[in-house]
Amino acid sequence: MSSNVPAASGPRERGARSVRVIRLLVLLAGALAFLFPFYYMVVGSLRKVTEGNLSSAAPGDVTGGNYSAINGAISLGRSLVNSGVVTIGVLLCTLVFGVLAGYALARLEFRGRGGVFGVLLLVQTIPFQLLTLPLYVLVVRDYGLGDSYAGMILPFAINSTAVFLFRQFFLQMPASLFEAARIDGASELRILWQIAIPMARPALLTGTLLTFIGPWNEFLWPFLVTKDASKQPLAVSLAGFLSNLQGTVSNPTGAVMAGACVLAAPAVVLFLLFQRHFTQTHIDSGIKG
Amino acid sequence: MTLTRTLPQAPAARVPAPARRRRRSGIGALFVTPYMLYTLAVFAIPLGYTLWISFHRFYFTAPGAHAPSPWVGLSNYRDVLTDPVVGKSFLNIAIFLVINVPLTVGLSLVLATALNAKLPFRSFFRAAFYLPYITASVALVAVWQFLFGSDGLVNHALGGLAPDPSWLVNTHLAMPSIALFVTWKQLGFFVMLYLGALQNVGNDLYEAASVDGAGAVRKFWSITVPGVRPATTLVAVYAIVTGANLFSEPYLLTGGGGPDNSSTSPVLLMYQKGIEQGHPDFAAALGVVLIVLVLAVTLITRKLTERGD
C-alpha cells in the first residue's frame, strides 16, 4: 500500500505511522490497567494459597477449592437465585409498565403528558441513594416488606432511563404506520403489541441490558432491606463475607475472589455478547438525560 | 417519505373526532398510570416524608408501638450543619472531586483521542475500557482491597516505597484511593462519551488548521478541547452526583469510612446516623440538604451549557 504513495509524502507517512504506534501503546497501557484486576481476580480465585506477593500474579497451583469454600460460607446457589429473582422482577416491571409508559409518551395524546415527561426527566436527576432513609422507613417499617423480594424490587421496579429510551424509539417510528392501524380500528394495545413492539426489538434488548446491571450490581438497598441471610442477593452476601466472615475458611482471599468472579460473570458475559447495545445507549441517555 | 408522513397526519392529528380524542386520552393516561404510581411511591412520597421527618423529632419504634414525633423546627438542620463529621464528609467529597474530575477528564480525553481512528483491535479496546463500568462494585472492591491491602500486590511492587499505614487504612490516602477506584471504574463510560463528542467535531476543522500550519498540540487545545466541552461539563456533574452518593466504596473498600472518618461520605453518614445509631431525623435533614445541593448543581450546569451552546 505504501509503495503506491508518491515519494513526496514519505515523511508524512512515517509521521502517521509513529502516531499510530503511539496510539496503540496508549491503548494497550489502558487495556492493561482495566483488565489486570479482572485477570487477578480469576487467578486469585483458582490458587490454593492466595497471597499478594509478586509471584502470585502468575497462574499456578490450580484448585477449585475456593469456589466450594465460598459456596459453603454464603451459599452461592441461594444467593444467585435471590439476585436472579430481584433482577427478573425489575426487568418484567420495566418491560411491561415501562414500555406502556414510553409508548403513551411517544404516540398518544392525553392530558398531563407534558407533566409526565417532566417527571420522567426529574426522576433521573435525583439519585435514589439520597432517598434511602425515607424509603427504608416506609418499605421496611411501615409496609413490612423487609426481607422480601417485593421490598428489594420496589425502588428499582421501573427503570426511568429505559422508559426514556423506549419513548425515543417509538417516537422515531413513522407516524403513518400508527395512523393506518388506527383508521383500521385497531385498539392501542393491539397497535402496541402487533406493530410497535416487533419494530422496537433492538430498543427492548438495550433496555433489558441497561436495566439488568442496576439491580444485579446494587448493594446499598438490598443490604438495608435484608437482615435474613437466606434472602440476601449475592452482592450483599459477598459483602457480608468480605467484612466479617473471612475467618471461617482456610484461604479467605481466594474465597472472596471466587465469589467476586461469580458475581461479576453474568454482567460481563451479557456485555461481551451485546457490547454495542451497552455502550450506545448509556452514552445516548447520558447526553440527553 | 416526508410527504407521506406530513400530509395525511396533519389533519388527522389536529381535528380528531371528539369521541375518539377522549378514547385516546383515556388510554394514554391509563398506560402511564403504573409508572406514575411507581414514581409516587418511590420518589414523591419519600421526598415529602423525608422533609416531614427532617422537621420533627423522630424515633424508630418497636413494631406496633407508637411514639410521638414533636415538631422541632430547624433543629435537625442545625445539628447537621454543626456536626463536625458532616463537615468532614463534605470535605472528603471535595477531595474526591479534586482528584476524580481532572483525572477523568485527562485520561478519558487521551484514551478517546487514541481510539478515534481506524485501528486494529478497536472493539477489543472499547470492550476492555468499558468492562469495569458494568461490573458490580462489590466484586471490584474485593479485588482492589486485595491489590491495595497492606500485604497486597501494589505494596509488594512498590517495595520500600509502599505507604505506611497502607493505602486503605491511611488517613491521608483512604479518600484518594476511593477517588482512584471510582475514576478507574467509570472511566470507560467517559471514554465512550468523549469518543462520541470527538466524532462530532468534524475533520474539516482539523484540515483547515493544518493548512494554517497549526501543530498537533495547538489543534488539540484550540479544536478538540472546546469541541468536547459539553462532555467535560457532564464529567463534572456526574462526579458531584457520584460523590454525594458514594456508599459501597467507603463502606466496603475502606471498612466503614476509613480511619478517623477520613473517607466518610454523606450517604454513608446517613446510614450510620439514621439506621445504625437510630437518628433518622438527623439523616433525613442531611438527605434534604444533599438533594437540594444535587438539584442546584444540575440546574446550574444545565443553565451554563445552554448558554454555551
Side-chain angles (χ1 to χ4, degrees), chain A:
Chain A
M1 177 193 146
S2 53
S3 61
N4 293 339
V5 178
S9 68
R12 215 173 162 184
E13 180 88 333
R14 224 174 298 133
R17 195 173 304 146
S18 67
V19 165
R20 226 167 107 98
V21 169
I22 292 172
R23 271 180 202 278
L24 280 173
L25 286 178
V26 167
L27 292 174
L28 271 176
L32 191 69
F34 286 111
L35 292 181
F36 181 75
F38 287 88
Y39 161 83
Y40 200 55
M41 185 161 97
V42 175
V43 167
S45 78
L46 292 171
R47 288 184 77 97
K48 277 207 187 76
V49 183
T50 309
E51 282 175 330
N53 53 32
L54 294 179
S55 62
S56 72
D61 247 359
V62 175
T63 172
N66 295 317
Y67 287 87
S68 37
I70 190 78
N71 188 29
I74 62 171
S75 171
L76 279 182
R78 200 184 51 205
S79 301
L80 278 171
V81 167
N82 292 337
S83 290
V85 170
V86 171
T87 308
I88 289 170
V90 170
L91 281 174
L92 281 179
C93 289
T94 299
L95 286 178
V96 175
F97 302 127
V99 164
L100 283 175
Y103 179 74
L105 284 171
R107 286 289 162 199
L108 297 173
E109 280 176 42
F110 58 96
R111 261 212 273 165
R113 186 169 82 167
V116 175
F117 188 60
V119 167
L120 178 66
L121 294 182
L122 187 71
V123 162
Q124 291 181 76
T125 59
I126 302 177
F128 142 85
Q129 286 88 336
L130 302 184
L131 292 171
T132 34
L133 182 99
L135 269 173
Y136 172 79
V137 178
L138 285 168
V139 170
V140 176
R141 305 245 157 195
D142 295 355
Y143 306 159
L145 291 176
D147 285 321
S148 77
Y149 292 129
M152 283 187 265
I153 291 172
L154 184 68
F156 305 98
I158 307 178
N159 185 315
S160 292
T161 313
V163 176
F164 187 80
L165 180 89
F166 297 149
R167 172 191 177 266
Q168 297 304 92
F169 206 87
F170 289 133
L171 215 53
Q172 284 164 14
M173 293 179 182
S176 51
L177 218 72
F178 297 93
E179 292 306 323
R182 277 172 200 161
I183 288 164
D184 288 349
S187 73
E188 287 303 333
L189 212 53
R190 204 177 144 149
I191 298 175
L192 175 61
W193 185 247
Q194 294 193 331
I195 300 173
I197 288 185
M199 283 175 72
R201 282 216 187 99
L204 295 182
L205 178 60
T206 353
T208 303
L209 296 171
L210 87 92
T211 306
F212 175 88
I213 58 171
W216 186 272
N217 293 347
E218 176 67 20
F219 169 65
L220 172 58
W221 179 252
F223 165 73
L224 291 181
V225 175
T226 52
K227 291 291 158 257
D228 177 0
S230 70
K231 279 294 169 60
Q232 288 175 343
L234 186 52
V236 178
S237 54
L238 181 63
F241 181 81
L242 191 64
S243 14
N244 47 35
L245 279 173
Q246 296 201 27
T248 58
V249 298
S250 58
N251 179 12
T253 310
V256 168
M257 293 301 112
C261 285
V262 175
L263 175 60
V268 169
V269 168
L270 277 180
F271 170 67
L272 294 179
L273 288 177
F274 302 108
Q275 208 203 116
R276 260 182 332 127
H277 285 274
F278 271 95
T279 41
Q280 265 168 11
T281 35
H282 273 110
I283 305 310
D284 288 351
S285 58
I287 287 170
K288 285 164 199 152

Side-chain angles (χ1 to χ4, degrees), chain B residues 136-212:
Chain B
S137 290
V138 173
L140 298 178
V141 158
V143 189
W144 273 61
Q145 215 177 37
F146 180 29
L147 279 168
F148 285 83
S150 306
D151 196 32
L153 189 71
V154 173
N155 282 354
H156 277 285
L158 288 174
L161 293 172
D164 179 38
S166 186
W167 304 91
L168 307 172
V169 288
N170 184 316
T171 21
H172 302 293
L173 292 174
M175 201 61 209
S177 301
I178 287 175
L180 199 68
F181 172 81
V182 173
T183 307
W184 173 79
K185 186 176 190 316
Q186 296 187 335
L187 202 64
F189 173 80
F190 292 108
V191 172
M192 297 306 145
L193 196 70
Y194 275 110
L195 190 60
L198 284 175
Q199 280 160 358
N200 288 335
V201 172
N203 264 329
D204 38 347
L205 274 177
Y206 289 102
E207 277 159 21
S210 297
V211 171
D212 291 346

Side-chain angles (χ1 to χ4, degrees), chain B residues 174-276:
Chain B
M175 201 61 209
S177 301
I178 287 175
L180 199 68
F181 172 81
V182 173
T183 307
W184 173 79
K185 186 176 190 316
Q186 296 187 335
L187 202 64
F189 173 80
F190 292 108
V191 172
M192 297 306 145
L193 196 70
Y194 275 110
L195 190 60
L198 284 175
Q199 280 160 358
N200 288 335
V201 172
N203 264 329
D204 38 347
L205 274 177
Y206 289 102
E207 277 159 21
S210 297
V211 171
D212 291 346
V217 176
R218 181 73 204 277
K219 278 190 271 186
F220 181 77
W221 284 112
S222 315
I223 302 172
T224 311
V225 171
V228 298
R229 228 190 57 195
T232 309
T233 314
L234 211 62
V235 175
V237 178
Y238 267 59
I240 293 170
V241 174
T242 310
N245 290 342
L246 283 179
F247 179 81
S248 321
E249 293 80 6
Y251 182 75
L252 294 173
L253 192 59
T254 57
D260 294 334
N261 297 313
S262 55
S263 68
T264 293
S265 68
V267 169
L268 177 58
L269 208 55
M270 268 170 71
Y271 162 73
Q272 287 170 333
K273 286 272 189 185
I275 295 169
E276 276 189 345

Side-chain angles (χ1 to χ4, degrees), chain B residues 29-137:
Chain B
L30 194 67
F31 279 11
V32 295
T33 302
Y35 180 71
M36 291 316 283
L37 286 176
Y38 160 77
T39 49
L40 195 71
V42 174
F43 289 90
I45 293 175
L47 203 62
Y49 199 29
T50 201
L51 268 172
W52 187 87
I53 296 176
S54 74
F55 288 106
H56 293 78
R57 182 70 55 233
F58 191 87
Y59 304 97
F60 285 138
T61 51
H66 186 81
S69 309
W71 166 270
V72 291
L74 289 170
S75 125
N76 289 322
Y77 288 92
R78 199 169 46 235
D79 291 348
V80 165
L81 296 175
T82 54
D83 189 303
V85 185
V86 172
K88 181 81 187 137
S89 73
F90 279 92
L91 189 70
N92 287 338
I93 298 313
I95 297 173
F96 172 82
L97 292 178
V98 165
I99 297 171
N100 176 267
V101 174
L103 212 56
T104 303
V105 172
L107 289 176
S108 41
L109 202 48
V110 167
L111 289 174
T113 311
L115 257 184
N116 192 23
K118 274 211 171 71
L119 287 167
F121 312 115
R122 194 157 177 261
S123 55
F124 161 77
F125 288 124
R126 287 172 62 127
F129 297 173
Y130 214 70
L131 211 51
Y133 183 72
I134 53 110
T135 306
S137 290

